[in-house]
CSV table of all heavy atoms in Angstrom, one decimal:
chain,number,residue,atom,x,y,z
A,231,SER,N,117.0,84.5,107.8
A,231,SER,CA,116.7,85.7,108.4
A,231,SER,C,116.5,85.7,109.8
A,231,SER,O,117.0,86.5,110.6
A,231,SER,CB,115.8,86.6,107.7
A,231,SER,OG,116.0,86.9,106.2
A,232,TYR,N,115.7,84.8,110.1
A,232,TYR,CA,115.2,84.6,111.6
A,232,TYR,C,115.2,83.2,112.0
A,232,TYR,O,114.2,82.6,112.4
A,232,TYR,CB,113.8,85.2,111.7
A,232,TYR,CG,113.6,86.6,111.2
A,232,TYR,CD1,113.2,86.9,110.1
A,232,TYR,CD2,114.2,87.7,112.2
A,232,TYR,CE1,113.1,88.2,109.7
A,232,TYR,CE2,114.1,88.9,111.8
A,232,TYR,CZ,113.5,89.3,110.6
A,232,TYR,OH,113.4,90.6,110.2
A,233,PRO,N,116.4,82.5,112.1
A,233,PRO,CA,116.6,81.1,112.5
A,233,PRO,C,116.0,80.8,113.8
A,233,PRO,O,115.6,79.7,114.1
A,233,PRO,CB,118.0,80.8,112.3
A,233,PRO,CG,118.7,82.2,112.5
A,233,PRO,CD,117.8,83.2,111.9
A,234,GLN,N,116.1,81.7,114.7
A,234,GLN,CA,115.6,81.6,116.1
A,234,GLN,C,114.1,81.4,116.1
A,234,GLN,O,113.5,80.9,117.2
A,234,GLN,CB,116.0,82.6,117.0
A,234,GLN,CG,115.3,84.0,116.8
A,234,GLN,CD,115.8,84.8,115.6
A,234,GLN,OE1,116.8,84.4,114.9
A,234,GLN,NE2,115.3,86.0,115.5
A,235,GLU,N,113.4,81.7,115.1
A,235,GLU,CA,111.9,81.7,115.1
A,235,GLU,C,111.4,80.4,114.2
A,235,GLU,O,110.2,80.3,114.1
A,235,GLU,CB,111.3,83.0,114.3
A,235,GLU,CG,111.6,84.2,115.2
A,235,GLU,CD,111.0,85.4,114.4
A,235,GLU,OE1,110.3,85.3,113.4
A,235,GLU,OE2,111.2,86.6,114.8
A,236,VAL,N,112.3,79.5,113.9
A,236,VAL,CA,111.9,78.5,112.9
A,236,VAL,C,112.2,77.0,113.6
A,236,VAL,O,113.3,76.8,114.0
A,236,VAL,CB,112.7,78.6,111.6
A,236,VAL,CG1,112.3,77.5,110.7
A,236,VAL,CG2,112.5,79.9,110.9
A,237,GLN,N,111.1,76.3,113.6
A,237,GLN,CA,111.3,75.0,114.2
A,237,GLN,C,111.7,74.0,113.1
A,237,GLN,O,112.4,73.0,113.3
A,237,GLN,CB,109.9,74.5,114.7
A,237,GLN,CG,109.9,73.1,115.3
A,237,GLN,CD,108.6,72.7,115.9
A,237,GLN,OE1,107.9,73.6,116.4
A,237,GLN,NE2,108.3,71.4,116.0
A,238,GLY,N,111.2,74.2,111.8
A,238,GLY,CA,111.7,73.3,110.7
A,238,GLY,C,111.1,74.0,109.4
A,238,GLY,O,110.4,74.9,109.4
A,239,VAL,N,111.6,73.4,108.3
A,239,VAL,CA,111.2,73.9,107.0
A,239,VAL,C,110.9,72.6,106.2
A,239,VAL,O,111.6,71.7,106.1
A,239,VAL,CB,112.4,74.7,106.4
A,239,VAL,CG1,112.1,75.2,104.9
A,239,VAL,CG2,112.8,75.9,107.2
A,240,VAL,N,109.8,72.9,105.3
A,240,VAL,CA,109.5,72.0,104.2
A,240,VAL,C,109.3,72.6,103.0
A,240,VAL,O,108.7,73.6,102.8
A,240,VAL,CB,108.1,71.2,104.5
A,240,VAL,CG1,107.7,70.3,103.4
A,240,VAL,CG2,108.2,70.5,105.8
A,241,LEU,N,110.3,72.2,102.0
A,241,LEU,CA,110.4,72.8,100.7
A,241,LEU,C,109.7,71.9,99.7
A,241,LEU,O,110.0,70.8,99.5
A,241,LEU,CB,111.9,73.0,100.2
A,241,LEU,CG,112.5,74.0,101.2
A,241,LEU,CD1,114.0,74.1,100.8
A,241,LEU,CD2,111.9,75.4,101.4
A,242,VAL,N,108.5,72.4,99.1
A,242,VAL,CA,107.8,71.6,98.2
A,242,VAL,C,108.0,72.0,96.8
A,242,VAL,O,107.5,73.0,96.3
A,242,VAL,CB,106.2,71.8,98.4
A,242,VAL,CG1,105.3,70.9,97.5
A,242,VAL,CG2,105.9,71.6,99.9
A,243,ASP,N,108.9,71.2,96.1
A,243,ASP,CA,109.4,71.5,94.7
A,243,ASP,C,109.7,72.9,94.6
A,243,ASP,O,109.3,73.7,93.8
A,243,ASP,CB,108.3,71.2,93.7
A,243,ASP,CG,109.0,70.6,92.4
A,243,ASP,OD1,110.1,70.1,92.4
A,243,ASP,OD2,108.3,70.7,91.3
A,244,ALA,N,110.6,73.3,95.5
A,244,ALA,CA,111.0,74.8,95.7
A,244,ALA,C,111.9,75.3,94.7
A,244,ALA,O,112.6,74.7,93.8
A,244,ALA,CB,111.5,75.0,97.1
A,245,LEU,N,111.9,76.7,94.5
A,245,LEU,CA,112.8,77.5,93.8
A,245,LEU,C,114.1,77.7,94.6
A,245,LEU,O,114.0,77.8,95.9
A,245,LEU,CB,112.4,78.8,93.3
A,245,LEU,CG,111.4,78.7,92.2
A,245,LEU,CD1,111.0,80.2,91.8
A,245,LEU,CD2,112.0,78.1,90.8
A,246,TYR,N,115.3,77.6,94.0
A,246,TYR,CA,116.5,77.9,94.8
A,246,TYR,C,117.2,79.0,94.1
A,246,TYR,O,117.1,79.3,92.9
A,246,TYR,CB,117.3,76.6,94.8
A,246,TYR,CG,116.7,75.5,95.6
A,246,TYR,CD1,115.9,74.6,95.0
A,246,TYR,CD2,116.9,75.4,97.0
A,246,TYR,CE1,115.2,73.6,95.7
A,246,TYR,CE2,116.2,74.3,97.7
A,246,TYR,CZ,115.4,73.4,97.0
A,246,TYR,OH,114.8,72.4,97.7
A,247,PRO,N,118.3,79.6,94.9
A,247,PRO,CA,119.0,80.8,94.3
A,247,PRO,C,119.7,80.3,93.0
A,247,PRO,O,120.2,79.1,92.9
A,247,PRO,CB,120.0,81.0,95.3
A,247,PRO,CG,119.4,80.7,96.6
A,247,PRO,CD,118.6,79.4,96.2
A,248,GLY,N,119.7,81.1,92.0
A,248,GLY,CA,120.5,81.0,90.7
A,248,GLY,C,119.6,80.1,89.7
A,248,GLY,O,120.1,80.1,88.5
A,249,ILE,N,118.5,79.7,90.1
A,249,ILE,CA,117.8,78.8,89.1
A,249,ILE,C,117.1,79.6,88.1
A,249,ILE,O,117.1,79.3,86.9
A,249,ILE,CB,116.7,77.9,89.9
A,249,ILE,CG1,117.4,76.9,90.7
A,249,ILE,CG2,115.8,77.4,88.8
A,249,ILE,CD1,118.1,75.8,89.8
A,250,ILE,N,116.6,80.8,88.4
A,250,ILE,CA,116.0,81.7,87.6
A,250,ILE,C,116.8,82.8,87.2
A,250,ILE,O,117.5,83.4,88.0
A,250,ILE,CB,114.7,82.2,88.2
A,250,ILE,CG1,113.7,81.2,88.6
A,250,ILE,CG2,113.9,83.2,87.2
A,250,ILE,CD1,113.2,80.3,87.5
A,251,LYS,N,116.8,83.1,85.8
A,251,LYS,CA,117.7,84.2,85.3
A,251,LYS,C,117.3,85.6,85.7
A,251,LYS,O,116.2,85.7,86.2
A,251,LYS,CB,117.7,84.1,83.8
A,251,LYS,CG,118.3,82.8,83.1
A,251,LYS,CD,118.1,82.9,81.7
A,251,LYS,CE,118.7,81.5,81.1
A,251,LYS,NZ,118.5,81.5,79.6
A,252,LYS,N,118.1,86.5,85.5
A,252,LYS,CA,117.7,87.9,85.7
A,252,LYS,C,116.6,88.2,84.6
A,252,LYS,O,116.6,87.7,83.5
A,252,LYS,CB,118.9,88.8,85.4
A,252,LYS,CG,120.0,88.7,86.5
A,252,LYS,CD,121.1,89.6,86.2
A,252,LYS,CE,122.3,89.4,87.1
A,252,LYS,NZ,123.3,90.4,86.7
A,253,PRO,N,115.6,89.1,85.0
A,253,PRO,CA,114.5,89.3,84.0
A,253,PRO,C,114.9,89.8,82.7
A,253,PRO,O,114.3,89.5,81.7
A,253,PRO,CB,113.5,90.3,84.8
A,253,PRO,CG,114.5,90.8,85.9
A,253,PRO,CD,115.5,89.9,86.2
A,254,GLU,N,116.0,90.6,82.7
A,254,GLU,CA,116.4,91.2,81.4
A,254,GLU,C,117.0,90.1,80.5
A,254,GLU,O,117.2,90.3,79.3
A,254,GLU,CB,117.5,92.3,81.6
A,254,GLU,CG,118.6,91.9,82.5
A,254,GLU,CD,118.6,92.1,83.9
A,254,GLU,OE1,117.5,92.1,84.4
A,254,GLU,OE2,119.7,92.3,84.5
A,255,ASP,N,117.3,88.9,81.0
A,255,ASP,CA,117.7,87.9,80.3
A,255,ASP,C,116.7,86.9,79.7
A,255,ASP,O,117.0,85.8,79.1
A,255,ASP,CB,118.8,87.1,81.0
A,255,ASP,CG,120.1,87.9,81.2
A,255,ASP,OD1,120.4,88.7,80.5
A,255,ASP,OD2,120.8,87.7,82.3
A,256,PHE,N,115.5,87.1,80.1
A,256,PHE,CA,114.4,86.4,79.7
A,256,PHE,C,114.1,86.6,78.2
A,256,PHE,O,114.4,87.6,77.6
A,256,PHE,CB,113.0,86.7,80.4
A,256,PHE,CG,112.9,86.3,81.8
A,256,PHE,CD1,113.9,85.8,82.6
A,256,PHE,CD2,111.6,86.6,82.5
A,256,PHE,CE1,113.8,85.4,83.8
A,256,PHE,CE2,111.5,86.4,83.8
A,256,PHE,CZ,112.6,85.7,84.5
A,257,PRO,N,113.8,85.4,77.5
A,257,PRO,CA,113.5,85.7,76.1
A,257,PRO,C,112.3,86.6,75.9
A,257,PRO,O,111.4,86.8,76.7
A,257,PRO,CB,113.0,84.2,75.5
A,257,PRO,CG,113.6,83.4,76.6
A,257,PRO,CD,113.6,84.0,77.9
A,258,LEU,N,112.4,87.3,74.7
A,258,LEU,CA,111.3,88.4,74.5
A,258,LEU,C,109.9,87.8,74.6
A,258,LEU,O,109.0,88.4,75.1
A,258,LEU,CB,111.6,89.0,73.1
A,258,LEU,CG,110.7,90.1,72.6
A,258,LEU,CD1,110.7,91.2,73.7
A,258,LEU,CD2,111.0,90.6,71.2
A,259,MET,N,109.7,86.7,74.1
A,259,MET,CA,108.4,86.0,74.1
A,259,MET,C,107.9,85.8,75.6
A,259,MET,O,106.7,86.0,75.8
A,259,MET,CB,108.3,84.7,73.2
A,259,MET,CG,107.1,84.1,73.1
A,259,MET,SD,105.8,85.2,72.3
A,259,MET,CE,106.5,85.0,70.6
A,260,THR,N,108.9,85.3,76.3
A,260,THR,CA,108.5,85.1,77.7
A,260,THR,C,108.2,86.2,78.5
A,260,THR,O,107.2,86.3,79.3
A,260,THR,CB,109.7,84.3,78.4
A,260,THR,OG1,110.0,83.1,77.7
A,260,THR,CG2,109.4,84.0,79.8
A,261,ARG,N,108.9,87.3,78.2
A,261,ARG,CA,108.6,88.6,78.9
A,261,ARG,C,107.2,89.2,78.4
A,261,ARG,O,106.4,89.6,79.2
A,261,ARG,CB,109.7,89.6,78.5
A,261,ARG,CG,111.0,89.6,79.3
A,261,ARG,CD,111.9,90.6,79.0
A,261,ARG,NE,112.8,90.3,77.8
A,261,ARG,CZ,113.6,91.0,77.2
A,261,ARG,NH1,113.6,92.3,77.5
A,261,ARG,NH2,114.4,90.6,76.2
A,262,TRP,N,106.9,88.9,77.2
A,262,TRP,CA,105.6,89.3,76.8
A,262,TRP,C,104.5,88.6,77.4
A,262,TRP,O,103.5,89.0,77.8
A,262,TRP,CB,105.5,89.1,75.2
A,262,TRP,CG,104.2,89.4,74.6
A,262,TRP,CD1,103.6,90.5,74.2
A,262,TRP,CD2,103.2,88.4,74.2
A,262,TRP,NE1,102.4,90.4,73.7
A,262,TRP,CE2,102.1,89.0,73.7
A,262,TRP,CE3,103.1,87.0,74.3
A,262,TRP,CZ2,101.0,88.4,73.3
A,262,TRP,CZ3,102.1,86.3,73.9
A,262,TRP,CH2,101.0,87.0,73.4
A,263,ALA,N,104.7,87.2,77.5
A,263,ALA,CA,103.7,86.3,78.1
A,263,ALA,C,103.6,86.5,79.6
A,263,ALA,O,102.4,86.5,80.1
A,263,ALA,CB,104.1,84.8,77.9
A,264,LYS,N,104.6,86.9,80.3
A,264,LYS,CA,104.6,87.2,81.7
A,264,LYS,C,103.7,88.3,82.0
A,264,LYS,O,102.8,88.4,82.8
A,264,LYS,CB,106.0,87.5,82.1
A,264,LYS,CG,106.0,87.9,83.7
A,264,LYS,CD,107.4,88.5,84.0
A,264,LYS,CE,107.6,89.9,83.3
A,264,LYS,NZ,108.8,90.6,83.7
A,265,ASN,N,103.7,89.4,81.0
A,265,ASN,CA,103.0,90.6,81.3
A,265,ASN,C,101.5,90.4,80.9
A,265,ASN,O,100.6,91.1,81.3
A,265,ASN,CB,103.5,91.8,80.6
A,265,ASN,CG,104.8,92.2,81.2
A,265,ASN,OD1,105.0,92.3,82.4
A,265,ASN,ND2,105.8,92.7,80.4
């Protein structure tokens, strides 16, 4: 969003786009545990 403000980036075992499903696709038990 603001590349002009960034000198560098360190990603520590980061999440990336597409790795996590849409919340409606989470298993029912996982949705229950999340809440």
